[in-house]
């Protein structure tokens, strides 16, 4: 039986990945930290089938203890700070968790389990203001935010340890991917949750930033399949994980509200203070390498994803209302 360690197991990607690996017969170990806990809502249906270990990406001793104890064949490093505004508020913490946390894992792998395979979640934001659309794996890395800098450092660390120490370590250059488990601070979930609130009479309007901002949005369960595929290859390599298609924030609003028979224009207001400086950049990924070498293709349509999120949020809110 293969054993996998997942950091960030209680998050969106970590929980979907844990479910996938369980279906494939893995023993799944998850790293959880009291310091940065988001609760166990996402893993409540599988909690009795996985092993949870207290640890922290900032504490090398805890990582060493867990890896020594379990000797995982695969490590998926999905833990970290993922919200860009937070990285401006806490740049040092962002770098420590997103970059130095990975460095601790790589050092331990090299010394203790050199045959272990590692997947590192990096980000399309490492390209900063890309000179071409779509971007591919050869696009120049030019990060523009503390979050992007931390992910760029992680990307290069993976390449360094792979080339210098011959570790099986690879980066998934992740474009935006959403789901019912997405944090409510992210715009897609903010829209679907508030559309559901308005439908149920729990809210009257929603204030957003630039509705014309266009993003390459995919469905998280599709992306965790690619993570797993990357660690099944003969040679470690880095891949862009995206859809190759872009949609606007306005598109999300139209689909979410129309799914509830609502006219989005009646409820959406915009505020320029919500705009981001980097929003003019269009991130769109070229996934031809993943298609060719991994045999991977996103399966879930964008509209279907938004409708799934709306349906979940309606049920989520109805449960809350009934419990009051």
């Amino acid at each position: 039986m293969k054993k996998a360690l997942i950091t960030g197991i209680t998050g969106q990607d970590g929980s979907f990945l844990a479910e996938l690996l369980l279906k494939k017969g893995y023993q799944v170990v998850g790293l959880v930290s009291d310091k940065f806990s988001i609760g166990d809502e996402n893993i409540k249906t599988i909690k009795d089938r996985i092993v949870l270990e207290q640890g922290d990406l900032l504490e090398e001793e805890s990582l060493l203890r867990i890896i020594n104890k379990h000797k995982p064949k695969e490590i998926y490093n999905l833990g970290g700070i993922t919200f860009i505004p937070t990285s401006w508020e806490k740049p040092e913490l962002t770098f420590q968790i997103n970059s130095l946390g990975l460095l601790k894992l790589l050092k331990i792998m090299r010394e203790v389990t050199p045959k272990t395979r590692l997947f590192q979640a990096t980000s399309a934001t490492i390209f900063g203001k890309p000179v071409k659309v779509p971007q591919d794996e050869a696009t120049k890395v030019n990060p523009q935010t503390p979050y992007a800098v931390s992910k760029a450092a992680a990307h290069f660390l993976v390449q360094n340890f792979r080339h210098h120490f011959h570790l099986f370590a690879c980066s998934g250059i992740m474009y935006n991917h959403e789901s019912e488990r997405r944090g409510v601070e992210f715009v897609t979930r903010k829209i679907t949750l508030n559309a559901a609130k308005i439908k149920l009479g729990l809210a009257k309007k929603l204030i957003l930033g630039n509705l014309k901002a266009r993003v390459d949005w995919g469905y998280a369960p599709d992306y965790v399949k690619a993570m797993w595929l990357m660690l099944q290859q003969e040679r470690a390599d880095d891949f862009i994980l995206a859809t190759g298609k872009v949609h606007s924030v306005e598109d999300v609003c139209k689909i979410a509200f129309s799914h509830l028979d609502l006219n989005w224009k009646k409820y959406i207001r915009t505020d320029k203070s919500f705009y981001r400086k980097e929003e003019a950049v269009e991130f769109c990924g070229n996934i031809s390498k993943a298609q060719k070498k991994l045999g991977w293709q996103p399966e879930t349509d964008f509209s279907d994803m938004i409708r799934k999120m709306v349906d979940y949020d309606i049920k989520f809110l109805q449960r809350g209302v009934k419990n009051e």
Side-chain angles (χ1 to χ4, degrees):
M1 178 183 289
K2 278 189 175 181
K3 189 180 291 188
L5 170 64
I6 303 174
T7 72
I9 194 168
T10 57
Q12 169 187 259
D13 293 1
S15 58
F16 280 124
L17 177 63
E19 291 170 3
L20 175 69
L21 296 181
L22 287 172
K23 288 178 182 176
K24 293 184 177 297
Y26 279 67
Q27 182 178 355
V28 176
V29 180
L31 178 73
V32 291
S33 169
D34 288 336
K35 290 182 184 177
F36 306 104
S37 174
I38 62 169
D40 61 1
E41 176 68 19
N42 290 334
I43 59 168
K44 64 181 182 180
T45 60
I46 59 170
K47 200 171 180 180
D48 61 341
R49 300 166 57 200
I50 60 179
V51 177
L52 297 178
E53 291 280 5
Q54 283 287 335
D56 198 305
L57 284 169
L58 299 180
E59 297 173 1
E60 190 167 342
E61 287 185 6
S62 68
L63 300 176
L64 178 60
R65 171 180 53 80
I66 294 167
I67 291 173
N68 251 327
K69 177 180 178 182
H70 293 282
K71 299 291 195 302
K73 296 295 184 184
E74 298 172 1
I75 296 177
Y76 296 85
N77 188 31
L78 309 182
I81 291 175
T82 59
F83 194 48
I84 291 175
T86 301
S87 79
W88 284 111
E89 296 165 9
K90 301 176 180 179
E92 185 175 359
L93 181 63
T94 299
F95 196 83
Q96 287 174 337
I97 295 176
N98 292 358
S99 308
L100 299 183
L102 166 67
L103 179 58
K104 296 179 197 300
L105 285 173
L106 288 167
K107 284 171 57 185
I108 293 168
M109 277 177 54
R110 180 193 166 208
E111 295 166 4
V112 179
T113 57
K115 298 299 183 183
T116 294
R117 298 186 168 200
L118 178 134
F119 171 88
Q120 168 63 34
T122 57
S123 166
T125 62
I126 66 174
F127 298 132
K129 296 181 178 180
V131 295
K132 64 178 181 179
V133 179
Q135 300 85 47
D136 59 28
E137 290 81 1
T139 299
K140 180 182 177 182
V141 174
N142 182 29
Q144 302 289 311
T145 68
Y147 168 76
V149 169
S150 73
K151 288 298 187 178
H155 182 73
F156 287 130
L157 280 170
V158 164
Q159 291 185 346
N160 291 167
F161 273 72
R162 181 169 72 226
H163 297 150
H164 194 73
F165 298 115
H166 308 293
L167 294 182
F168 194 109
C170 48
S171 289
I173 305 170
M174 312 281 283
Y175 282 64
N176 289 60
H177 47 290
E178 319 298 312
S179 77
E180 308 89 313
R181 300 176 190 175
R182 190 59 145 154
V184 296
E185 68 272 23
F186 291 90
V187 69
T188 49
R189 183 76 193 287
K190 185 177 182 180
I191 292 168
T192 62
L193 181 61
N194 280 279
K197 285 182 177 180
I198 290 168
K199 181 66 175 180
L200 296 175
L202 301 174
K204 295 182 178 180
K205 64 180 180 179
L206 172 60
I207 301 174
L208 297 171
N210 183 8
L211 299 183
K212 301 301 180 184
R214 286 155 55 89
V215 180
D216 187 329
W217 272 306
Y219 191 45
D222 291 341
Y223 286 49
V224 300
K225 292 177 185 176
M227 297 177 190
W228 177 77
L229 284 169
M230 285 174 63
L231 296 195
Q232 313 313 308
Q233 305 305 302
E234 288 186 12
R235 295 179 59 187
D237 203 351
D238 305 325
F239 292 88
I240 280 180
L241 304 180
T243 68
K245 301 175 183 177
V246 294
H247 296 87
S248 68
V249 174
E250 185 175 301
D251 292 335
V252 180
C253 295
K254 289 178 180 177
I255 296 165
F257 280 79
S258 65
H259 187 52
L260 297 172
D261 297 317
L262 298 172
N263 181 350
W264 70 275
K265 292 182 179 180
K266 291 183 178 180
Y267 306 101
I268 300 293
R269 303 290 181 269
T270 59
D271 185 334
K272 288 193 174 182
S273 67
F274 283 46
Y275 282 42
R276 289 184 185 174
K277 293 179 181 178
E278 67 270 17
E279 273 183 329
V281 177
E282 185 169 297
F283 288 104
C284 179
N286 180 344
I287 60 171
S288 58
K289 182 177 175 181
Q291 289 172 317
K292 182 179 180 181
K293 294 193 174 184
L294 303 179
W296 177 76
Q297 180 77 28
E299 299 173 11
T300 306
D301 178 75
F302 173 76
S303 297
D304 290 341
M305 175 183 75
I306 299 302
R307 287 190 284 265
K308 283 175 184 279
M309 293 170 68
V310 171
D311 290 342
Y312 173 87
D313 283 328
I314 285 286
K315 293 176 182 177
F316 171 75
L317 291 169
Q318 286 176 331
R319 288 199 305 268
V321 170
K322 289 176 183 178
N323 291 336
E324 289 181 356

